[in-house]
Amino acid sequence: MSIEELNKEIIACRKCSRLVEYRNTRSVPEKYAIETYWNKPLTGYGDINGKLLVVGLAPAFNGGNRAGRIFTGDKSSDFLISSMYEAGFTNIPVSENINDGLKYNNMYITLALKCAPPDNIPLKCELENCNPYIEKEIDAMHKLKAILCLGKISFDSIIKYFRSRNIKTTGIKFINEKYYDIAGIRLYCSYHPSPRNVNTGLLKKEDFIALLKEIKNFIN
Ligand code: SF4
């Protein structure tokens, strides 16, 4: 299956009825009242022939779910894309809307869960429903050298991928800024760039940029 065919399948997916109902019934803030929300699953974005895969958690209702593109138009995107730009992974330092010209260099970015969940908390069954998509995305990345997981939930989805391929992951735990070499792929961990993690100082921008630069050196 090509990435284009996979993305069509993802956009048409309605497996998680709670998430479909949530996005179709939740009210939108006044400042976005005139906008037409995407309100569908979000595919990955970037270069599927790149050497790095970055995995986030799920779309924010008023971020990617509104804009129609992963990590676009919210605080997490501001932090992530400006950091990516500093490390040389994007052509511009912002991700505001689908017409902003953002391109990723040598990487693809996707989500463990493709639809926005209430309170940003997915159910286990929803993650299970969605995991086959990320598995297909990984399999489509023929030049993959590294995966960066943003947060424990995305890390777990990647561990599940390795286990489904009978690859041992014994003793591997999510630890911020740690990496593991598994079956020829270097798996990096980072806290998710959510406003809560950034505002509390759990995730510091200079540390995150340093990690991205380390990854860039590794894959090049
Ligand atoms: S979260 Fe994933 S499995 Fe569930 S409806 Fe969205 S795309 Fe489908």
Side-chain angles (χ1 to χ4, degrees):
M1 177 184 272
S2 70
I3 193 69
E4 291 79 15
E5 288 167 332
L6 175 61
N7 287 344
K8 271 189 199 162
E9 186 182 324
I10 292 171
I11 291 169
C13 182
R14 300 290 181 272
K15 276 190 263 183
C16 306
S17 54
R18 183 184 81 117
L19 304 182
V20 175
E21 188 183 346
Y22 171 64
R23 64 177 175 243
N24 287 338
T25 55
R26 185 181 149 167
S27 58
V28 305
E30 187 70 31
K31 65 177 176 174
Y32 299 133
I34 58 163
E35 292 199 26
T36 302
Y37 276 48
W38 170 253
N39 269 354
K40 289 190 275 285
L42 284 183
T43 66
Y45 187 70
D47 181 5
I48 198 71
N49 295 311
K51 293 180 185 165
L52 172 66
L53 175 65
V54 177
V55 186
L57 166 56
F61 179 78
N62 292 308
N65 174 67
R66 171 177 60 86
R69 188 180 68 193
I70 179 171
F71 279 109
T72 301
D74 61 9
K75 296 277 183 212
S76 300
S77 319
D78 292 344
F79 182 98
L80 181 70
I81 305 306
S82 58
S83 304
M84 289 270 178
Y85 179 74
E86 287 290 320
F89 279 113
T90 64
N91 63 332
I92 54 174
V94 292
S95 175
E96 293 173 333
N97 59 64
I98 57 168
N99 299 313
D100 58 17
L102 173 68
K103 287 194 170 48
Y104 290 95
N105 303 320
N106 204 13
M107 59 162 277
Y108 196 71
I109 185 164
T110 194
L111 299 162
L113 191 84
K114 314 293 193 211
C115 296
D119 301 318
N120 297 319
I121 302 173
L123 300 178
K124 192 164 172 266
C125 62
E126 291 162 350
L127 288 163
E128 279 169 8
N129 285 346
C130 217
N131 226 58
Y133 296 133
I134 202 164
E135 293 185 0
K136 287 177 187 170
E137 289 171 316
I138 295 170
D139 287 340
M141 293 192 73
H142 301 301
K143 296 181 183 164
L144 186 64
K145 282 185 78 175
I147 300 175
L148 169 61
C149 296
L150 302 174
K152 169 87 167 50
I153 290 176
S154 60
F155 175 82
D156 288 344
S157 73
I158 299 303
I159 293 299
K160 198 168 175 203
Y161 165 82
F162 284 122
R163 289 184 183 157
S164 73
R165 269 56 178 175
N166 293 320
I167 297 166
K168 275 193 173 178
T169 57
T170 317
I172 292 178
K173 289 186 203 155
F174 178 85
I175 300 173
N176 187 47
E177 295 184 2
K178 191 165 173 54
Y179 70 77
Y180 303 91
D181 288 318
I182 310 170
I185 294 173
R186 184 162 287 188
L187 177 62
Y188 288 89
C189 311
S190 168
Y191 292 130
H192 191 280
S194 63
R196 190 175 60 175
N197 288 344
V198 172
N199 295 341
T200 57
L202 192 64
L203 183 62
K204 293 189 174 62
K205 192 152 186 174
E206 60 271 26
D207 295 342
F208 189 62
I209 292 170
L211 177 66
L212 292 173
K213 286 182 175 175
E214 181 187 322
I215 295 171
K216 192 151 196 289
N217 282 338
F218 173 71
I219 64 173
N220 282 334

